[in-house]
């Protein structure tokens, strides 16, 4: 709704911007007529004022485009910086706290490039953007399968969105969620 409100405000500004050059071009300080693309003779010639140059479209600020816009020269992948903390995974070298940066890949994550590729794959679909870090809703019926004592916390920014979530393997839903985050989280299957 905020986006629609902003667009309704921007459109009248664009109309006003086209009217202002026409008013100033026909004033006393004008250095001559403004060129017009309207025909000056023939059946399509009509008494139309010269409007001058058309205004350039304005980019919407990030808070008006549902957080999906990017600044000049900035990509969504470049705005990914996560801290991944893993405990009790049972995988040698997988427990600890790791930094993950994407675009370019960096940090101390043991599978940095594969993790960035997984995040980019999930971010390419709307469902992936909505579901990847979302915790299992309370009251969801999950199988009572214990997948181990592994626990992880992921904090940071993914595609410009704040992330602060935990993952475990305490039931079937959490196991599926953990597996969807591999290789950001270690594969403990």
């Amino acid at each position: 709704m905020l986006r629609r409100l902003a667009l309704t405000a921007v459109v009248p500004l664009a109309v006003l911007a086209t009217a202002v050059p026409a008013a100033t071009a026909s004033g006393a300080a004008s250095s001559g007529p403004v060129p017009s693309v309207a025909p000056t003779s023939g059946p399509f010639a009509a008494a139309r004022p010269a409007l001058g140059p058309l205004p350039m479209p304005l980019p919407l600020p990030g808070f008006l485009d549902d957080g999906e816009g990017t600044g000049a020269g900035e990509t969504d992948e470049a705005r990914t910086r996560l801290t991944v903390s893993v405990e009790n995974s049972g995988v040698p070298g997988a427990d600890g706290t790791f930094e993950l940066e994407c675009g370019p890949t960096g940090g101390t994550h043991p599978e940095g490039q594969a993790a960035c590729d997984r995040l980019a794959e999930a971010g390419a679909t709307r469902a992936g953007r909505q579901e990847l870090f979302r915790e299992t809703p309370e009251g969801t019926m999950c199988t009572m399968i214990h997948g181990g004592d592994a626990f992880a916390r992921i904090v940071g920014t993914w595609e410009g969105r704040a992330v602060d979530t935990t993952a475990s393997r305490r039931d079937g839903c959490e196991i599926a969620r953990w597996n969807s985050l591999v290789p950001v989280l270690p594969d403990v299957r």
Side-chain angles (χ1 to χ4, degrees):
M1 186 166 121
L2 188 57
R3 181 183 210 177
R4 199 174 294 153
L5 179 63
L7 288 176
T8 57
V10 170
V11 171
L13 287 174
V15 171
L16 181 62
T18 61
V20 170
T24 58
S26 61
S30 174
S31 61
V34 175
S36 175
V37 294
T40 56
S41 63
F44 297 107
R48 294 184 191 165
L51 295 179
L54 294 176
M56 295 298 293
L58 300 173
L60 291 176
F63 67 89
L64 293 178
D65 63 357
D66 301 327
E68 295 175 4
T70 56
E74 186 177 350
T75 65
D76 287 338
E77 188 178 23
R79 297 185 298 161
T80 298
R81 287 190 179 92
L82 298 173
T83 301
V84 181
S85 301
V86 180
E87 300 173 358
N88 303 321
S89 70
V91 176
D95 289 358
T97 300
F98 306 100
E99 299 294 323
L100 175 64
E101 294 182 20
C102 299
T105 302
T108 59
H109 195 282
E111 295 186 48
Q113 186 59 52
C116 288
D117 291 345
R118 172 65 185 114
L119 293 172
E121 175 188 330
T125 65
R126 181 178 180 156
R129 288 190 305 270
Q130 293 174 344
E131 301 292 327
L132 186 63
F133 291 109
R134 192 180 91 173
E135 295 187 15
T136 304
E138 192 171 320
T140 302
M141 296 184 74
C142 302
T143 58
M144 296 307 297
I145 300 172
H146 183 69
D149 294 327
F151 179 82
R153 180 164 187 204
I154 303 171
V155 179
T157 305
W158 175 57
E159 293 189 343
R161 296 177 189 93
V163 173
D164 187 354
T165 190
T166 59
S168 68
R169 300 181 61 84
R170 70 175 181 255
D171 60 33
C173 295
E174 287 295 305
I175 292 170
R177 189 164 167 261
W178 183 289
N179 291 342
S180 74
L181 287 166
V182 170
V184 177
L185 298 178
D187 191 355
V188 297
R189 293 180 248 188

